Amino acid sequence: MEQGNRRWIIRDAAGQLEGPFTTEKVLYKIGRGEFSGEEYIALYPDGKWIPISQDPQFYDKLLEVLSKDPNREMSEETSVLEFTRPVTSSMNVVPPDQATTQPGPVSETIEEAKPKRKKRKKRPEDIELVDVRPQVMKAVLRRARLPLLVIMVGLAVGAGVFFSATQEKGRIRLIAPQRNQAQVAPETLRGRVHRGFTEFLKDTLDGYLKAQNDFVYIIERDSKNSEAMALLCVTYLQLWPYAYQDTSDSKVIASVVQMSSAVDPGGANSAACRAVDLAVRNRYQEAKSLVESVLDSWSHTRQPPILFYYLKGQLLENTNEHMPAIGYLKSAQKLWPQWILPFVLEAQALTKLERYNDAGNLYRNILRNNPAHTVARIELGLLEYKQFNRNEQGESYLKQALENDNAPRSVLSRGFFGLAEIALNRGDNATALRYAEKAYSLNSSNNMAKNLIVQIGGVKTLKKQKTKTGQLMHEGDQFFREGDYHAAQAHYKAAFEQENNPLAALKAAQCLWKLSFSTEAIEWLNRAIKTDPKLIEAYVTLADYQAQRYNFLAAARVLESAKRVNPRSHEVYRGYAMLELKRNNAKGVISFGKRALQLFENDVETLILMAQASIILRDFKMAFNYASKAVEMDVNHRKAQVAYAEALAGLQGVDVGIDYLLRLVNNYSLVTEYRLALGKMHLADERYAQAEEIFRQIIKLEEKPKEAYVELSKVLRAQGQIEEALDLLLKAAVLDPADAEPLFMAGAIYLDLKRPREAAVQFQRVLTINKLYPRVHYQLGRAALLENDPKAALTYTEQEKKANPNLADAYLLAAEAHSLMQQYSHCASEYQKAIKLRPQQANIYVKLAQCYRKAGNLDAAMAMLNVAATKESGLAEIYKEQGAIYEVKGDTAHAIEAYRQYFALDPDAPDRQQIEDRISALQSGRRL
């Protein structure tokens, strides 16, 4: 390889990596002062790390830069501009007399700290972009003479970082601050703080990457700096479009959320991190509620929350509320006029409002202050040719901007399509096609680019276009976040077909499940497992889906397969716990959950399962412990918060749990999960009026309030409003045709109303949706028995026994059917089987005794009654049946005594008159 074409990886003093760069690019960056001489350098991909100053060509360039700037022989603290909080703090404001509505100069507090030197005359709207130059050459040479041992340690650490940071072209990894680093005095970090702010203000990809490095460095050495944490979180938000957007990147943000919450609990800085975390997880309603809460609390203070004006503007812009968004963005601009991002967002909003001149002027102003702003240059180029009919100027802007890829893919795609249209207008179809293909490769959802390819090159040319798997996955993720699961699953399927990407198959399955295509979802999960047998997440997801379909055996087999693949996976044991919860086996949940937590003690999902199981077991203290830890790990996790409220209610009373949920509802007014939990808590405590009000609120708030319909139907059923309850259940069934629960509940109501035919219709619909739905054959048997068809009832009970052999109700119903058919021996046999499943239920022994009596086995009948008395001596039915046995035996006195005991225990017995007639007949010696 030629010397000039070598590629290098650079590692700075904080251990962060850049590159790979060519030799020429490294020399160029040294010349610009971007490398200070403290960095280490290694040939890409597997070269050894050495100080950059030990390479002769780079050493010469460092000397050259030093010779041009003699002021470099200063310490970092004196060479870097002083940092003062009024301009840069996320919590502080610029004095009113310095605020402007356009990007303006840095405040005088910073200007006064600059070394005195001749400056060019500035326009009022310019932003001062501070150039932080390299360190003194003495420090460079000292670093070059580090002991061999230190160099080797640095090499080992750098190599580890290098391999962990390997990434696709065009995608980046977010970097998290490392904990337990040696702390330094905040004053010694002034230079790094100022440099981080300066790069942050530029609003460019390169600037945010450098700002990320600086803020991480600061937080590692000043772990109490919550302002740096807030700015780091907002930096993550700007880098998110370029990131992998996977679990690894999400964990980086979550780690800073935890750090900021510990340092600044309840403060605006920690709230900024929580808002960013919610936004990147697509939990926009929660993010919006949190942002509004902070603005309500802080906006009228002496320190308005600048970042939250921006965040509110961004969230409004995402929902196409352009005018309100501009209002908040202008507030951010006035408070912090050096930050370019709010101006860019305002210009984009103005374009959508068709205020093209205002948008164009704003973009030009941005470019005067930062000519390297790629997004502004692309957007202005599009305006120049589309709205102002200046094709040459527009083309010039676009070509300059598109020389690099320092913009989100969607913006780059629009830029290339703009060049395609300009070329098409010139009649240069070949160039237009080339640009259109580039636009389509960057964003396959760009339908205009797609149509232009077909227009010029035909369908065959379009079919030749191969969108990269990474791009398809990225676009699929975007659609998934927007709730467009149809489009998302199409992208994931295409990604899988292109490269057999198992993650694509997994995500396609998740989309299909949300679309109620459960069978196809399971098929795609099997594809994912077949493609990558070590993809544990696919196994666990498949087991979850099977459990939700009540196919518990299939779910268990899937988890066993996963366990063989990775016996040390906490996800597998969490999957077992989830399965046991679905089976209502709380003790099983605890057992498997403990094993999962032994492998990963901070797994939030497992902690929630443990809390839910503990609530079922009424061990509210343990439930509170598990839920508290889950909330501590992820304060925004809705299930964790609900479990915490339920544990509180169990420990301290329902009112305490209700008050906690009310606070959540007030803080997150648009998050219906908290309202739903509040309504359920009222319902469980039989506070029907309050529950009804809450569920009706949810129905108004949600577009598809299926669960609210179901819960409200329970309230109305309890209040006797049966017809409306049935209507709500049918509405819920229409909203989600794959969910059989509303139809099952409707069938149960019809049974209670003694309308067996209508009930049977609903239960048959349940079977059409899911043949494994529990208790449905049992309910069909009940309907058949009400129709006086015991043979059909027996057929259904046999089917229920096969599906759920441990369900005692099926055996009890079969016994009733046999009794109706006067098959008393079979009746007794069924009751005996039921007793094995419910040995503590006294009334089953009474019914068994009745069958024995009718079969003529009086001694066995009396023995069963004696057992029943040991289980529940006050059960009136025992003495009624005892009286019948004595009556058969001809023991009139004992029969009358037993019947009178029956009345004593149940004075309002429904058959009292009949029993009194029997007593009278016995006393007179007559037979009834």
Side-chain angles (χ1 to χ4, degrees):
M1 183 181 293
E2 295 181 5
Q3 187 78 5
N5 293 329
R6 288 183 174 182
R7 302 174 73 196
W8 304 86
I9 294 289
I10 311 295
R11 176 166 60 83
D12 67 12
Q16 310 302 336
L17 300 183
E18 291 186 73
F21 302 124
T22 63
T23 300
E24 292 179 355
K25 187 71 171 180
V26 175
L27 292 170
Y28 171 75
K29 285 179 172 289
I30 292 173
R32 286 176 55 87
E34 294 181 24
F35 294 148
S36 65
E38 292 189 348
E39 295 82 1
Y40 276 73
I41 196 163
L43 278 171
Y44 180 80
D46 54 4
K48 293 183 178 180
W49 291 99
I50 61 170
I52 191 172
S53 58
Q54 286 190 359
D55 186 282
Q57 58 191 334
F58 298 145
Y59 177 81
D60 292 340
K61 189 66 176 179
L62 286 165
L63 285 178
E64 177 186 337
V65 172
L66 181 64
S67 65
K68 291 181 180 178
D69 193 348
N71 292 327
R72 278 309 135 210
E73 294 189 5
M74 295 187 293
S75 67
E76 179 175 337
E77 287 70 37
T78 57
S79 65
V80 181
L81 303 183
E82 287 291 320
F83 164 67
T84 55
R85 293 184 183 273
V87 175
T88 52
S89 167
S90 62
M91 297 304 307
N92 293 314
V93 301
V94 178
D97 60 335
Q98 295 181 25
T100 63
T101 58
Q102 299 294 326
V106 188
S107 79
E108 290 303 315
T109 53
I110 289 184
E111 289 296 323
E112 292 168 0
K114 290 183 179 180
K116 299 297 181 180
R117 61 182 180 222
K118 187 175 181 180
K119 297 182 290 186
R120 69 174 176 84
K121 186 176 181 180
K122 294 188 295 185
R123 289 183 292 272
E125 69 274 12
D126 285 349
I127 297 174
E128 183 72 27
L129 299 178
V130 181
D131 180 24
V132 182
R133 293 283 178 178
Q135 303 302 308
V136 296
M137 188 52 63
K138 290 180 180 179
V140 173
L141 296 175
R142 281 200 304 270
R143 179 62 59 90
R145 294 195 299 266
L146 283 174
L148 180 61
L149 177 60
V150 176
I151 295 175
M152 293 301 293
V153 171
L155 173 61
V157 173
V161 174
F162 169 74
F163 288 115
S164 65
T166 301
Q167 57 194 39
E168 292 178 11
K169 179 177 174 57
R171 305 295 288 274
I172 65 169
R173 282 286 181 203
L174 301 184
I175 303 170
Q178 300 301 308
R179 297 176 185 267
N180 302 320
Q181 297 291 313
Q183 300 294 284
V184 301
E187 294 77 16
T188 64
L189 297 170
R190 284 187 200 168
R192 202 68 181 246
V193 169
H194 188 92
R195 189 170 74 182
F197 272 91
T198 301
E199 295 297 342
F200 179 86
L201 295 173
K202 295 178 182 178
D203 185 44
T204 61
L205 172 59
D206 185 58
Y208 285 124
L209 286 171
K210 291 179 180 178
Q212 175 186 228
N213 289 344
D214 286 328
F215 293 142
V216 166
Y217 182 91
I218 294 160
I219 294 165
E220 287 177 341
R221 288 153 182 80
D222 180 10
S223 60
K224 303 295 184 183
N225 193 331
S226 64
E227 290 184 352
M229 293 175 191
L231 284 164
L232 178 59
C233 289
V234 176
T235 301
Y236 287 150
L237 186 60
Q238 309 317 313
L239 292 175
W240 191 251
Y242 308 94
Y244 282 82
Q245 300 183 6
D246 57 9
T247 303
S248 177
D249 287 329
S250 297
K251 285 182 178 179
V252 169
I253 297 177
S255 69
V256 181
V257 170
Q258 293 175 16
M259 294 174 70
S260 64
S261 297
V263 174
D264 182 39
N269 288 326
S270 63
C273 283
R274 294 201 304 275
V276 169
D277 186 48
L278 290 169
V280 300
R281 293 174 187 268
N282 306 310
R283 290 154 63 173
Y284 290 112
Q285 293 297 347
E286 289 172 90
K288 188 176 180 182
S289 296
L290 178 57
V291 168
E292 289 172 351
S293 175
V294 173
L295 286 172
D296 289 341
S297 301
W298 291 77
S299 59
H300 301 297
T301 67
R302 295 180 61 187
Q303 296 179 326
I306 301 171
L307 294 179
F308 283 86
Y309 286 108
Y310 149 70
L311 288 169
K312 182 65 183 291
Q314 177 76 77
L315 289 168
L316 289 169
E317 182 61 19
N318 287 345
T319 54
N320 296 318
E321 299 173 74
H322 306 304
M323 284 305 299
I326 288 174
Y328 282 98
L329 293 169
K330 282 187 175 295
S331 295
Q333 295 164 12
K334 290 177 182 178
L335 294 168
W336 201 2
Q338 297 82 18
W339 189 17
I340 290 179
L341 177 58
F343 295 97
V344 176
L345 291 177
E346 182 191 356
Q348 291 173 328
L350 289 169
T351 301
K352 293 170 185 175
L353 291 170
E354 300 182 1
R355 291 170 56 182
Y356 303 121
N357 286 326
D358 292 337
N361 290 335
L362 205 45
Y363 284 130
R364 293 185 190 94
N365 187 30
I366 291 166
L367 289 172
R368 279 196 295 271
N369 290 294
N370 183 3
H373 202 287
T374 303
V375 172
R377 193 169 292 277
I378 291 173
E379 298 285 13
L380 181 57
L382 293 171
L383 285 175
E384 288 287 356
Y385 96 86
K386 274 189 173 182
Q387 310 303 332
F388 307 143
N389 297 316
R390 295 193 281 261
N391 285 7
E392 289 185 6
Q393 195 163 349
E395 184 177 26
S396 175
Y397 277 122
L398 290 173
K399 284 186 173 180
Q400 291 174 37
L402 295 170
E403 288 178 355
N404 60 65
D405 56 357
N406 293 337
R409 289 171 181 261
S410 59
V411 177
L412 293 172
S413 176
R414 290 193 296 110
F416 278 108
F417 182 72
L419 289 176
E421 287 188 314
I422 293 172
L424 187 67
N425 292 337
R426 281 202 304 262
D428 188 350
N429 286 4
T431 302
L433 179 59
R434 188 173 71 254
Y435 283 131
E437 289 174 333
K438 181 67 174 176
Y440 185 72
S441 71
L442 285 163
N443 180 9
S444 62
S445 299
N446 189 333
N447 289 324
M448 292 188 294
K450 178 180 178 180
N451 294 336
L452 186 56
I453 292 171
V454 174
Q455 176 186 335
I456 299 174
V459 176
K460 289 183 178 180
T461 304
L462 179 65
K463 289 181 178 179
K464 292 178 182 178
Q465 305 305 313
K466 288 188 177 181
T467 306
K468 293 181 179 179
T469 302
Q471 176 63 17
L472 288 168
M473 294 288 286
H474 176 71
E475 292 168 16
D477 291 345
Q478 295 285 355
F479 284 121
F480 188 91
R481 285 192 293 274
E482 294 165 4
D484 189 350
Y485 303 120
H486 280 287
Q489 60 90 24
H491 279 72
Y492 292 139
K493 286 179 179 178
F496 178 80
E497 298 297 341
Q498 191 172 101
E499 288 187 1
N500 279 343
N501 185 325
L503 285 175
L506 170 61
K507 292 187 175 185
Q510 291 169 332
C511 292
L512 292 164
W513 187 262
K514 287 184 175 292
L515 293 168
S516 299
F517 298 144
S518 53
T519 302
E520 191 178 358
I522 288 171
E523 289 175 359
W524 276 88
L525 283 170
N526 283 319
R527 289 192 190 188
I529 292 169
K530 184 177 180 181
T531 306
D532 182 3
K534 294 183 179 180
L535 184 59
I536 296 298
E537 185 181 358
Y539 290 95
V540 175
T541 305
L542 178 56
D544 180 28
Y545 290 175
Q546 293 285 19
Q548 289 187 53
R549 289 177 58 82
Y550 301 98
N551 194 343
F552 300 132
L553 289 176
R557 285 196 294 267
V558 171
L559 291 172
E560 282 299 316
S561 298
K563 186 178 175 183
R564 287 193 293 270
V565 172
N566 187 352
R568 297 284 300 168
S569 170
H570 75 278
E571 294 174 282
V572 174
Y573 289 106
R574 186 218 296 155
Y576 277 115
M578 189 164 46
L579 172 59
E580 294 305 315
L581 186 67
K582 191 67 179 178
R583 293 177 59 194
N584 204 30
N585 178 11
K587 291 183 178 178
V589 177
I590 298 295
S591 175
F592 284 113
K594 286 180 177 178
R595 297 174 75 176
L597 292 175
Q598 286 174 355
L599 296 167
F600 181 25
E601 64 177 349
N602 293 326
D603 183 30
V604 174
E605 301 298 332
T606 302
L607 291 168
I608 294 170
L609 290 171
M610 296 290 278
Q612 292 170 331
S614 299
I615 289 169
I616 294 172
L617 294 171
R618 305 191 66 78
D619 187 351
F620 297 112
K621 185 176 180 180
M622 287 305 301
F624 181 80
N625 291 339
Y626 286 123
S628 297
K629 188 169 183 180
V631 170
E632 181 183 348
M633 297 301 299
D634 186 353
V635 71
N636 296 311
H637 201 298
R638 300 177 189 185
K639 287 184 179 180
Q641 290 284 11
V642 170
Y644 183 84
E646 291 174 350
L648 270 179
L651 272 180
Q652 302 178 30
V654 174
D655 289 333
V656 177
I658 286 174
D659 287 343
Y660 186 82
L661 286 172
L662 275 171
R663 288 198 298 273
L664 289 173
V665 168
N666 291 332
N667 290 334
Y668 305 99
S669 58
L670 298 178
V671 179
T672 54
E673 283 92 335
Y674 297 142
R675 289 182 190 271
L676 194 64
L678 180 60
K680 287 180 178 180
M681 195 169 287
H682 280 301
L683 174 59
D685 201 46
E686 298 183 0
R687 303 181 188 186
Y688 298 127
Q690 296 94 323
E692 180 179 350
E693 180 183 359
I694 291 166
F695 293 136
R696 291 194 187 279
Q697 288 174 358
I698 297 171
I699 289 170
K700 291 179 181 178
L701 288 172
E702 280 197 334
E703 183 180 352
K704 295 182 177 181
K706 182 192 76 170
E707 196 167 357
Y709 282 147
V710 171
E711 295 301 323
L712 181 56
S713 75
K714 295 177 184 177
V715 174
L716 296 175
R717 182 181 180 183
Q719 294 176 317
Q721 301 177 45
I722 304 301
E723 291 303 322
E724 187 181 357
L726 285 169
D727 181 60
L728 288 169
L729 289 170
L730 295 177
K731 285 182 178 178
V734 170
L735 285 178
D736 187 358
D739 186 2
E741 182 188 15
L743 296 174
F744 183 86
M745 292 177 62
I749 291 177
Y750 281 124
L751 276 183
D752 291 345
L753 295 173
K754 307 299 182 186
R755 293 158 63 177
R757 291 187 181 179
E758 291 162 289
V761 169
Q762 301 305 323
F763 293 132
Q764 290 293 349
R765 289 177 178 173
V766 171
L767 285 177
T768 301
I769 295 170
N770 186 356
K771 293 180 180 180
L772 296 173
Y773 199 91
R775 298 174 62 88
V776 66
H777 290 103
Y778 163 73
Q779 297 286 32
L780 281 166
R782 284 184 62 202
L785 212 58
L786 283 174
E787 288 270 77
N788 199 30
D789 188 353
K791 289 185 177 179
L794 285 173
T795 301
Y796 285 124
T797 57
E798 288 304 311
Q799 291 174 309
E800 188 66 51
K801 290 174 192 176
K802 290 179 181 178
N804 296 292
N806 295 324
L807 182 65
D809 289 338
Y811 299 96
L812 295 173
L813 185 64
E816 288 184 49
H818 283 299
S819 179
L820 194 63
M821 298 169 68
Q822 299 183 356
Q823 297 173 347
Y824 299 119
S825 296
H826 291 304
C827 169
S829 176
E830 295 293 344
Y831 278 129
Q832 286 172 341
K833 294 173 184 175
I835 284 172
K836 291 179 180 179
L837 296 170
R838 291 185 189 170
Q840 300 302 320
Q841 198 161 330
N843 66 333
I844 300 179
Y845 292 93
V846 175
K847 291 180 178 180
L848 176 56
Q850 188 179 57
C851 287
Y852 278 135
R853 172 175 59 81
K854 291 180 179 181
N857 192 345
L858 301 182
D859 291 339
M862 190 62 76
M864 290 301 102
L865 290 180
N866 291 334
V867 175
T870 64
K871 304 292 183 184
E872 188 178 345
S873 60
L875 182 65
E877 294 293 329
I878 294 173
Y879 300 95
K880 174 183 172 182
E881 181 57 32
Q882 195 178 74
I885 293 172
Y886 282 127
E887 190 176 349
V888 172
K889 286 183 174 183
D891 189 344
T892 302
H894 283 99
I896 292 172
E897 183 182 352
Y899 285 141
R900 285 176 176 167
Q901 182 64 25
Y902 171 56
F903 290 150
L905 292 170
D906 189 2
D908 299 321
D911 56 352
R912 184 179 182 111
Q913 185 60 50
Q914 295 173 335
I915 299 299
E916 286 178 344
D917 292 342
R918 297 183 74 83
I919 292 173
S920 298
L922 288 170
Q923 288 173 334
S924 63
R926 294 181 290 109
R927 274 189 173 274
L928 287 178

